[in-house]
Amino acid sequence: MIRFILRRILEAVPVMLIIITGTFFMQRFVPGGPFTAERAVTPEVQRNLDAYYHLSDPLWKQYVDYLRDLTPKAFHPSALEQGLDLKAAFGIDFRPSFKYPNRTVNEIIAEKLPVSLELGFFSLSVALVLGLTLGVFAAVKRNTWIDYLCSGIAMTGICVPTFVLGPLLVLSFAIHLHWFSASGWYVPADAVLPCLTLGSVYAAYIARLTRGGLLEVLGQDYIRTARAKGASEARIVFRHALRGGLLPVVSFLGPATAGILTGSFVIETIFQIPGLGREFVNSATNRDYTMVLGTVILYAALIIVMNLVVDVIQVWLNPKLKFE
């Protein structure tokens, strides 16, 4: 396992390099710059701004210097006790933000990332609880009205996008019923509508995968043997079938996590949540080079780590698989 994890980490290095390189040069080739939307300034002020942010240097030098700042210098575990300060803990410097005076990208990430992680965690929890429940009921009650109802709910969740479902939930539960607030992230109740919106789409996919995986397992010989021995249906499903039936769901968790992380951009904008996804949208609009790069790198690293965790869980659930 250790060799497998180390190999995956080494494989992630060129992937991250490609992502950094592509993002760095693509945003520089887009017309305009981080200060073009501002009020017109004198050429002297513009030259001072370019010199301060090293925008006057050759493009290749800006790229090399940025890679040097991203290279981890050392690991200081005690620094993590003060928060998600990547510069203090690992020596990784995402540089100052172009649009937030006197603030660095590291500071913005340390402030906004916990909100996005909290939103993603609860949304994934909603997706797993709803999806597994619907999928298990649909598989156990195959070709009955319960199966048709659960499958219909899952299909509806797949067809309705989050930018449509979110406003509908706000209209119903916030404006008409006044059960929840329409925006913000202040009390636990504020997380209900955003997490339900973001998690419902992935709950639909998980429900269909759970149903298909369970139906395949429930038709195997050892399940029929367990039934012949008099095992209860609940024991058969939860003790014998569910572990094998969850393999497709576990395989889906990697892309699902990536989708929930990137999908939070839309949700944070709709519900006015002060998370990192909303900052990414604003930074792309404002051409804040360092903020865009820092956010892209961070999300890419999270996705790679989650895919590695999913691979390890797959082998744990099915020992027949090997770390290859």
Side-chain angles (χ1 to χ4, degrees):
M1 181 186 295
I2 296 177
R3 186 165 57 249
F4 169 78
I5 294 175
L6 291 176
R7 185 170 67 248
R8 289 294 297 271
I9 293 175
L10 292 177
E11 292 173 354
V13 173
V15 173
M16 290 297 301
L17 185 60
I18 293 173
I19 293 173
I20 295 170
T21 304
T23 305
F24 182 90
F25 286 103
M26 281 193 297
Q27 64 179 354
R28 297 306 174 93
F29 292 149
V30 174
F35 307 111
T36 55
E38 298 290 342
R39 187 171 52 188
V41 296
T42 62
E44 292 79 8
V45 173
Q46 184 66 47
R47 283 195 296 269
N48 290 335
L49 288 172
D50 292 340
Y52 178 78
Y53 290 104
H54 303 283
L55 295 177
S56 58
D57 296 341
L59 194 58
W60 67 267
K61 186 176 187 302
Q62 296 181 44
Y63 173 70
V64 172
D65 291 342
Y66 189 79
L67 288 181
R68 186 182 299 113
D69 291 339
L70 289 181
T71 304
K73 279 71 175 179
F75 177 52
H76 303 285
S78 59
L80 294 176
E81 299 176 0
Q82 308 298 326
L84 298 174
D85 191 344
L86 298 177
K87 184 175 182 179
F90 302 96
I92 299 176
D93 184 11
F94 289 129
R95 295 189 171 186
S97 168
F98 289 145
K99 290 297 181 179
Y100 293 95
N102 302 321
R103 296 197 68 188
T104 65
V105 176
N106 293 62
E107 293 173 348
I108 298 173
I109 289 176
E111 177 185 349
K112 304 294 185 178
L113 181 59
V115 177
S116 294
L117 292 179
E118 189 177 358
L119 173 63
F121 173 78
F122 288 119
S123 299
L124 185 60
S125 301
V126 169
L128 288 173
V129 171
L130 291 180
L132 293 177
T133 302
L134 291 174
V136 169
F137 274 107
V140 173
K141 303 295 183 180
R142 181 182 182 182
N143 295 331
T144 64
W145 68 270
I146 296 178
D147 182 15
Y148 300 145
L149 177 62
C150 295
S151 299
I153 294 174
M155 185 58 65
T156 303
I158 293 174
C159 296
V160 180
T162 55
F163 60 84
V164 174
L165 180 60
L168 288 177
L169 292 178
V170 170
L171 183 64
S172 301
F173 296 101
I175 297 178
H176 290 310
L177 297 178
H178 303 287
W179 290 357
F180 306 102
S181 59
S183 62
W185 194 265
Y186 306 106
V187 296
D190 292 340
V192 175
L193 294 184
C195 294
L196 186 60
T197 303
L198 185 55
S200 61
V201 175
Y202 298 95
Y205 288 103
I206 291 173
R208 293 178 63 84
L209 290 172
T210 303
R211 180 184 183 275
L214 271 180
L215 288 178
E216 182 179 354
V217 173
L218 289 173
Q220 295 184 6
D221 293 337
Y222 74 94
I223 298 295
R224 286 193 289 267
T225 302
R227 284 199 177 99
K229 291 181 177 180
S232 64
E233 193 67 21
R235 181 180 178 84
I236 290 173
V237 171
F238 293 103
R239 180 69 181 273
H240 301 289
L242 192 58
R243 183 169 182 173
L246 286 180
L247 286 176
V249 176
V250 174
S251 301
F252 176 70
L253 285 181
T257 303
I260 286 177
L261 290 175
T262 55
S264 66
F265 301 168
V266 178
I267 301 301
E268 290 177 11
T269 303
I270 293 175
F271 292 95
Q272 298 297 299
I273 298 173
L276 189 59
R278 188 178 171 192
E279 292 296 333
F280 176 76
V281 174
N282 293 334
S283 64
T285 304
N286 296 328
R287 294 186 177 88
D288 192 343
Y289 295 154
T290 51
M291 190 67 206
V292 171
L293 273 167
T295 309
V296 169
I297 293 169
L298 184 64
Y299 277 121
L302 289 174
I303 291 170
I304 290 173
V305 170
M306 288 306 303
N307 284 328
L308 175 60
V309 172
V310 167
D311 290 341
V312 173
I313 294 176
Q314 276 187 301
V315 178
W316 175 73
L317 288 174
N318 187 4
K320 293 182 180 179
L321 300 175
K322 301 296 182 182
F323 289 106
E324 296 178 356

